[in-house]
Amino acid sequence: MDQRPPTTRWRTTLPTLLRRALRRPTPTTPPATHPTNPDAVVDCAVYIDGQRQPGRPHYTDAHHHSRRNRRAFVWLGLHDPTPAVMTAVGHTFGLDDLHIAQALTAGHRPTLQRHDDTTLLVLRTAAYVEHTELTDTSEVVDTGDIMIFIGDRFVVTVRHGAPGALTTVRHHLQQRRALLTEGPWAVAYAICARMVDQYLDVANHVETDLERLEETVFARDRTADIAHIYQLKREIVELKRAVLPAQTPLRTLAGPTDGPSPALRRWFTDVDGDLARAVDRVNAYDDLLNSILQSRLAQLAVEQNNDMRKIAAWAAIAATQTAVAGIYGMNFTHMPELHWRYGYAGALLLMATAALTLHRLFRRSGWL
C-alpha cells in the first residue's frame, strides 16, 4: 500500500498525465505492398515438385523463392517486353547483355545456344490466317518467334508477335505433374511440342488452299491468276523459314546433351519425328505449287498461241478481200471484167467464196 501523502502522489502523477496527453501520436507504418508485375508479364508462377504454388508473385519474389528450394523452379512468360522490363528481368535471372539484346528483337532464326548455365532455345511461331478467297494480297501464314531461356531453376519465355500464345501450353502442362517434376526442361519440351503441332495445323489448312487453287487452275473456266499463285508461294516460303531451321536444335536436344534428362530426350525425339513430317509436307507443298505455277504458265503460252492463230486466220481471210479489191482498183484499160455485165456481182461472189472457203479450212484445222 502506497504510504506517501496525497499531496506527494498528486505531484508525481500530474506531470506524468500531462506528458502522456501532450505526447505526439506515433505514426503507424503502412502495411508492406508487394510490387506488381509489368504489363509485359503474361504469367509468373513457382512450381514445387511439379505443383504450381498459389498466387501470381512478382518475378523477383518468385526467383528468390525458387532459390531457397532445390525442388522448385519459376516460369516467367513475357510478351513483347520493353527494354526496361527486359533489362530488369535479365539482371534478376542472371542473363548476359547479349541475351537481353537478343530478346528485344524479333525475327530470329531457330537455334540453340548455351552460355554458362543458361541455354537459349529460339523457335518460330506460326498461325493460319482465315480468308474467304485467295487474292494477290491475301495473308495466309502469320509468323512470330519465341525465345526460351532455360536455367537451373527458372525458365523465361519471351514471345514476339501474335501467334504462339502459351496459356494453353501452361494449362495442359500443369495437368501433367509427373512431367513438370523434370523442371524447366519440361516446359521447353511442352513449348516445342506445341509449336510443331501448330506447324502441322497450318500445313493442313495450306493443303486445302492448294487443292482449291489446283481446281481453279485446271478448270474449264480458269480464274486463277499468276499473282494468286505467287502470293501463296510466298506464304509457303514464310512457313518454310519457320519449320525447316527448327530441325537442328530439336535433333540436338533429342541426342546426348547436357540439357534435358534422358527421360525427356525420348519426348524430344517424338517431337523431332513430328517436325520431320511437317518438313516433308511443307516441301511437298512447295514442289506442288511450283508444278501448278509452271502449268499455269504453260496454259498462258498455249492461250497466247491460240490467240495468235486466230489473228493470223482472220488476217488471211481479210487479205483475200484486199487482194481482189486491189486488183480491180488498178483501173487498167484492158480489163475485160470491167465491161462485163455481171463483173461486179462476180467480184463480190469471188470474194465471198474465198472468205467462206478459208474460214472453213481454218475451222477444220482448229485455228478458228
Side-chain angles (χ1 to χ4, degrees), residues 317-348:
I317 294 174
T320 58
Q321 317 305 308
T322 303
V324 174
I327 291 174
Y328 286 99
M330 290 185 290
N331 295 323
F332 289 110
T333 304
H334 302 286
M335 294 186 70
E337 296 85 354
L338 294 178
H339 304 286
W340 186 32
R341 181 177 180 179
Y342 302 102
Y344 176 72
L348 293 180

Side-chain angles (χ1 to χ4, degrees), residues 51-105:
Q51 183 70 33
R52 175 169 180 161
Q53 302 306 296
R56 185 182 171 187
H58 191 267
Y59 63 86
T60 56
D61 298 335
H63 178 64
H64 294 327
H65 185 73
S66 65
R67 302 302 297 178
R68 293 193 298 266
N69 192 329
R70 298 181 61 87
R71 302 190 307 275
F73 74 93
V74 58
W75 179 4
L76 172 64
L78 302 174
H79 182 217
D80 290 331
T82 61
V85 172
M86 192 63 226
T87 301
V89 170
H91 292 164
T92 300
F93 290 93
L95 304 180
D96 60 10
D97 293 339
L98 177 59
H99 283 167
I100 295 175
Q102 289 177 328
L104 291 173
T105 57

Side-chain angles (χ1 to χ4, degrees), residues 146 186 291:
I146 182 170
S291 300

Side-chain angles (χ1 to χ4, degrees), residues 2 11-12 29 60 70 109-111 135 148 156 178 195 199 212 231 281 292 295 310 334 352 360:
D2 192 356
R11 290 176 180 175
T12 304
T29 304
T60 56
R70 298 181 61 87
R109 179 183 175 90
T111 184
T135 65
I148 310 171
V156 178
M195 295 302 105
Y199 299 158
R212 294 175 181 174
Q231 177 64 20
R281 296 179 66 176
I292 294 176
S295 299
K310 290 179 181 179
H334 302 286
R360 183 178 180 85

Side-chain angles (χ1 to χ4, degrees), residues 191-338:
I191 295 175
C192 292
R194 176 61 176 174
M195 295 302 105
V196 173
D197 289 342
Q198 288 182 344
Y199 299 158
L200 291 172
D201 181 67
V202 173
N204 290 333
H205 286 89
V206 171
E207 182 178 7
T208 303
D209 287 339
L210 277 173
E211 292 175 353
R212 294 175 181 174
L213 183 63
E214 190 175 14
E215 291 175 358
T216 57
V217 168
F218 294 100
R220 184 177 297 273
D221 50 342
R222 306 179 182 93
T223 58
D225 192 8
I226 292 293
H228 302 170
I229 303 175
Y230 185 71
Q231 177 64 20
L232 184 57
K233 182 172 178 59
R234 289 182 59 186
E235 296 297 313
I236 291 182
V237 170
E238 184 69 18
L239 182 59
K240 288 181 66 175
R241 292 174 181 171
V243 176
L244 270 64
Q247 297 178 97
T248 301
L250 282 181
R251 287 177 181 173
T252 302
L253 293 175
T257 179
D258 296 335
S261 63
L264 275 178
R265 292 175 196 165
R266 297 175 53 249
W267 294 98
F268 276 106
T269 302
D270 181 68
V271 175
D272 184 50
D274 292 338
L275 179 63
R277 290 196 299 117
V279 170
D280 292 341
R281 296 179 66 176
V282 172
N283 286 330
Y285 297 158
D286 191 30
D287 294 339
L288 177 60
L289 194 57
N290 287 332
S291 300
I292 294 176
L293 181 60
Q294 295 299 323
S295 299
R296 183 56 184 152
L297 291 175
Q299 290 175 352
L300 291 177
V302 172
E303 292 173 359
Q304 291 176 353
N305 187 35
N306 291 335
D307 293 339
M308 291 300 298
R309 290 194 300 180
K310 290 179 181 179
I311 294 174
W314 286 112
I317 294 174
T320 58
Q321 317 305 308
T322 303
V324 174
I327 291 174
Y328 286 99
M330 290 185 290
N331 295 323
F332 289 110
T333 304
H334 302 286
M335 294 186 70
E337 296 85 354
L338 294 178

Side-chain angles (χ1 to χ4, degrees), residues 137-159:
T137 59
S138 297
E139 184 179 11
V140 179
V141 180
D142 186 17
T143 59
D145 62 75
I146 182 170
M147 310 182 71
I148 310 171
F149 297 94
I150 308 166
D152 183 24
R153 299 182 193 177
F154 71 86
V155 54
V156 178
T157 56
V158 182
R159 185 166 59 91

